[in-house]
Amino acid sequence: MKVWILDNGSIVIEHTQLMWNVPGPQVRIPSYAVLIEHDDGLFLFDTGFDLEHTNAVLPFELPEQTPEQTIPAQLELAGFAVSDVTTLVNSHLHFDHVGGNKHFAGLKNVVHEQELAQARHHEPFEFFGYSDKTWDYEGANFEPVSGDLELAKGLWLFETPGHTIGHYSLLVTPESSAARPMLFAFDVVYTQPALEKGIQPGFHIDPRAGVRSIARVKEVATEHGADIYFSHDAAAFTTYKHAPDFYEL
Ligand SMILES: [Zn+2]
């Protein structure tokens, strides 16, 4: 099994978004997708943000994304075409995780059933998060799921609500015992320091569920001896392998 991290550029957020109620300077954070070549197919988790949408609706987040940082270009960097992807999974449906979904018309799209419903009929305060609706195109092939599930051998989705109502994290367990399991927490916490302090993102729909999900990420990491990968941690991101480089599990 091979795992690529696909760099999709960066945006700027308030420190109180990075860590709820913790003041500090604005911070530029990365956005990325995860591509996994598995015996059962080519799985793509999240698709980053769309530059045009972000500039139009969230210009204050000062998005930066080169043509090389779009999903099609990143797939190519990893040696694939858009048409090679067999399953698209979204951790949740916020704009910075669905921006490239539209490139995969008709492809099976696994999403938590509550996330799908909520993104279509969200609370007013969730407007910016769910502002990019291009994932919900005519003919989209959703596979709504719920509960913890093994998507394919060694690819585990486990429920981690709080940031959004149907948020999933991903655990990748290796075929060989020589490699370390990888745990993509996605937006349960944005950074390593946030995990250590137990502080969820400023944006959330259920902060008490968010607290439990932080505990859950820690438990799963400990139980499996997994390395945790953070969704929006600029410092940690520089230490990750980026496509075309990959992790072999
Ligand atoms: Zn995010």
Side-chain angles (χ1 to χ4, degrees):
M1 189 160 36
K2 289 179 181 171
V3 179
W4 288 265
I5 286 178
L6 308 182
D7 181 359
N8 295 126
S10 62
I11 53 177
V12 170
I13 61 169
E14 299 296 330
H15 199 277
T16 50
Q17 290 289 335
L18 192 74
M19 290 188 196
W20 187 24
N21 280 342
V22 179
Q26 283 190 326
V27 55
R28 181 164 285 282
I29 60 169
S31 168
Y32 66 88
V34 179
L35 180 70
I36 300 181
E37 187 183 38
H38 186 281
D39 287 345
D40 291 353
L42 188 64
F43 294 78
L44 179 63
F45 297 82
D46 289 349
T47 59
F49 65 88
D50 178 78
L51 183 61
E52 205 176 316
H53 170 82
T54 310
N55 271 324
V57 181
L58 303 96
F60 47 86
E61 295 207 345
L62 309 173
E64 287 183 0
Q65 184 182 73
T66 66
E68 292 71 38
Q69 289 172 318
T70 59
I71 283 289
Q74 286 286 306
L75 279 169
E76 204 174 307
L77 203 57
F80 298 99
V82 162
S83 58
D84 292 329
V85 178
T86 57
T87 304
L88 172 60
V89 184
N90 286 105
S91 63
H92 62 302
L93 294 169
H94 277 176
F95 79 95
D96 57 319
H97 297 259
V98 302
N101 276 36
K102 56 182 165 290
H103 297 297
F104 303 91
L107 189 69
K108 182 167 74 173
N109 186 185
V110 176
V111 187
H112 196 292
E113 63 181 9
Q114 281 179 274
E115 185 71 15
L116 201 53
Q118 186 71 19
R120 285 171 170 159
H121 305 284
H122 59 75
E123 302 294 342
F125 68 84
E126 297 183 291
F127 168 75
F128 283 117
Y130 290 127
S131 58
D132 185 347
K133 294 282 201 285
T134 55
W135 51 270
D136 205 7
Y137 53 85
E138 180 89 28
N141 182 16
F142 296 113
E143 187 168 300
V145 294
S146 64
D148 298 345
L149 65 128
E150 192 175 21
L151 201 59
K153 195 170 183 303
L155 303 185
W156 292 90
L157 291 179
F158 58 99
E159 287 183 321
T160 45
H163 179 62
T164 66
I165 204 157
H167 186 279
Y168 270 125
S169 298
L170 166 70
L171 175 71
V172 186
T173 58
E175 290 161 353
S176 84
S177 56
R180 288 176 64 83
M182 301 174 82
L183 197 167
F184 293 92
F186 294 115
D187 285 5
V188 172
V189 287
Y190 284 179
T191 64
Q192 170 98 48
L195 181 81
E196 285 161 8
K197 295 186 172 85
I199 302 176
Q200 63 194 286
F203 187 92
H204 44 253
I205 190 165
D206 184 344
R208 299 176 80 180
V211 170
R212 291 192 292 274
S213 290
I214 291 174
R216 183 146 205 237
V217 163
K218 288 179 175 172
E219 280 163 21
V220 170
T222 302
E223 185 186 337
H224 294 272
D227 292 328
I228 302 173
Y229 292 78
F230 297 92
S231 57
H232 299 302
D233 187 325
F237 192 64
T238 63
T239 69
Y240 301 160
K241 292 179 181 178
H242 298 183
D245 206 3
F246 60 87
Y247 297 87
E248 182 108 49
L249 268 74

